[in-house]
Amino acid sequence: MFRPLLLAGIGAALVAGCTQNIRPTDADRAIIGAGTGYVVQQVRGKGGSDRLKGAAIGAVGGALCDDVGLCQ
């Protein structure tokens, strides 16, 4: 159960990094990551709490992706 959520977070961080021309802030990347994490869980057919977990992990991944050098 934890592994798919981790993969959703990593995927969200990578998608959040695809914003080259808009100079996003951490908040922008967190919003993009949260949306991606939510959609990934929805596509997987998961319920409400799993979708929220995916959104939370995506938000953290998106906000921190520039700190670890994934989205530069």
Side-chain angles (χ1 to χ4, degrees), residues 16-67:
C18 297
T19 55
Q20 298 169 346
N21 294 330
I22 65 169
R23 305 266 180 171
T25 64
D26 285 341
D28 296 332
R29 286 187 294 271
I31 291 168
I32 294 167
T36 303
Y38 185 89
V39 169
V40 165
Q41 290 299 84
Q42 186 174 3
V43 168
R44 292 184 61 233
K46 298 298 180 177
S49 66
D50 285 334
R51 290 178 187 171
L52 294 178
K53 288 177 191 174
I57 290 171
V60 171
L64 297 177
C65 75
D66 65 326
D67 295 333

